[in-house]
Amino acid sequence: MENTTNNAAYMLRARDIYKSFQDVEVLKGISLDVCRGEVLSIIGPSGSGKSTLLRCLNRLETIDKGSIEVKGEFLVQNDASGFAEYAPDGKARKILSCMGMVFQQFNLFPHMTVLENLMEAPVQVKKQTRDEIRPVAEELLRKVGLYEKRDAYPSRLSGGQQQRVAIARALAMKPDIMLFDEPTSALDPELTVEVLKTMRGLAAEHMTMVVVTHEMTFARDVSNQVIFMADGVIVEQGKPAKLFGNPQEERTKAFLGNMLK
């Protein structure tokens, strides 16, 4: 496998991604680029393949064909037969370590306090001591406005607070890229606001982010670029002002017409 590319400005590149589950083709040749410090929002109807694409980017799902490149290193690319071949496990783990992920469900450890939730992965994965990671974890809780909840258990938090803890937990691993899979879809509208505020703060700090979302205002106001997906393909993509203000494709117009009523 070829190892690197010269496109240093790109944090994440995907080319011609194909993915099927049994006989159902879910991704049909998806390509995208994300530069350092950019926010890419992926929008589209349910079942369009958005979440599957995100899970493929960090190998929660394996692809059938195509290439994924992270910070100039190939996680996967086609072999001589035209099928996806992944980097060896050690190298793949190193490449994937620079990506953090936030899911629809918060997935916090219920038996651990908020602070312990943040400290667990750096201790177990990066072999940091608790004394090393504690000040970092506490600062991250301040960042998401939850320092006063550091000794609480997840069951004592609102959904919005739990999701902000999940974001802080991902940040504790010091990722270069953050992936968000519909992080507000399980929340009531008033709790959605506090999570989006946290994400806007990360964008303002130029964190590289790929966000699958139904929050059109966030996608329009915060993104550097927006992709509209339907039926496993990218129907339209571009700057948010153009895609929201003057969509070219009928599928895009119909979708935005429904979402922005």
Side-chain angles (χ1 to χ4, degrees):
M1 292 176 70
E2 182 185 349
N3 287 326
T4 61
T5 180
N6 292 323
N7 296 295
Y10 291 109
M11 293 292 278
L12 184 62
R13 306 192 85 187
R15 285 291 175 273
D16 297 321
I17 300 297
Y18 286 84
K19 172 65 179 176
S20 296
F21 294 103
Q22 284 78 47
D23 296 329
V24 179
E25 195 172 41
V26 179
L27 300 177
K28 307 170 186 176
I30 299 289
S31 296
L32 58 84
D33 294 323
V34 186
C35 291
R36 183 179 299 276
E38 277 193 337
V39 178
L40 167 65
S41 288
I42 304 173
I43 63 174
S46 296
S48 59
K50 307 183 302 296
S51 292
T52 299
L53 172 59
L54 207 67
R55 292 173 65 85
C56 287
L57 293 178
N58 71 349
R59 207 184 171 177
L60 291 176
E61 302 285 357
T62 56
I63 65 173
D64 302 323
K65 292 187 289 184
S67 67
I68 298 171
E69 192 181 345
V70 183
K71 294 178 65 180
E73 302 249 18
F74 279 103
L75 173 66
V76 56
Q77 58 184 321
N78 290 333
D79 62 15
S81 302
F83 294 100
E85 178 186 4
Y86 279 84
D89 283 348
K91 181 177 180 182
R93 279 194 300 272
K94 182 174 180 291
I95 293 170
L96 291 167
S97 69
C98 72
M99 287 196 278
M101 178 120 177
V102 177
F103 300 87
Q104 296 177 32
Q105 302 300 326
F106 324 123
N107 298 327
L108 300 178
F109 297 116
H111 61 290
M112 293 183 180
T113 66
V114 164
L115 186 61
E116 288 168 343
N117 263 278
L118 266 67
M119 294 169 62
E120 183 68 7
V123 168
Q124 297 297 330
V125 178
K126 291 194 168 184
K127 306 305 179 187
Q128 293 180 266
T129 68
R130 294 187 179 275
D131 287 342
E132 284 175 325
I133 191 58
R134 180 182 294 273
V136 176
E138 290 178 342
E139 185 56 36
L140 285 169
L141 288 175
R142 289 189 182 94
K143 185 187 190 78
V144 300
L146 289 171
Y147 178 73
E148 74 283 358
K149 300 288 187 182
R150 62 193 180 281
D151 295 323
Y153 287 89
S155 62
R156 307 301 296 174
L157 304 181
S158 71
Q161 289 171 332
Q162 289 187 60
Q163 191 62 293
R164 283 187 284 156
V165 172
I167 292 171
R169 182 177 62 178
L171 292 172
M173 293 293 285
K174 299 188 180 302
D176 296 308
I177 306 165
M178 285 284 284
L179 309 179
F180 293 86
D181 186 10
E182 299 187 17
T184 61
S185 64
L187 302 177
D188 294 332
E190 65 271 21
L191 300 179
T192 293
V193 172
E194 61 191 46
V195 173
L196 292 178
K197 181 181 177 182
T198 297
M199 293 171 64
R200 285 171 182 267
L202 291 176
E205 295 173 1
H206 306 291
M207 169 63 77
T208 307
M209 298 160 63
V210 182
V211 185
V212 171
T213 184
H214 284 109
E215 299 293 335
M216 295 300 109
T217 302
F218 176 90
R220 183 186 62 205
D221 295 348
V222 180
S223 307
N224 300 98
Q225 54 176 324
V226 180
I227 284 174
F228 171 64
M229 282 182 66
D231 300 322
V233 300
I234 294 176
V235 176
E236 191 166 351
Q237 65 184 49
K239 298 290 186 184
K242 182 177 180 183
L243 192 140
F244 283 94
N246 186 27
Q248 301 299 300
E249 301 293 331
E250 291 302 321
R251 287 291 302 271
T252 316
K253 292 176 186 176
F255 175 78
L256 293 175
N258 287 328
M259 294 298 289
L260 296 172
K261 282 180 180 175

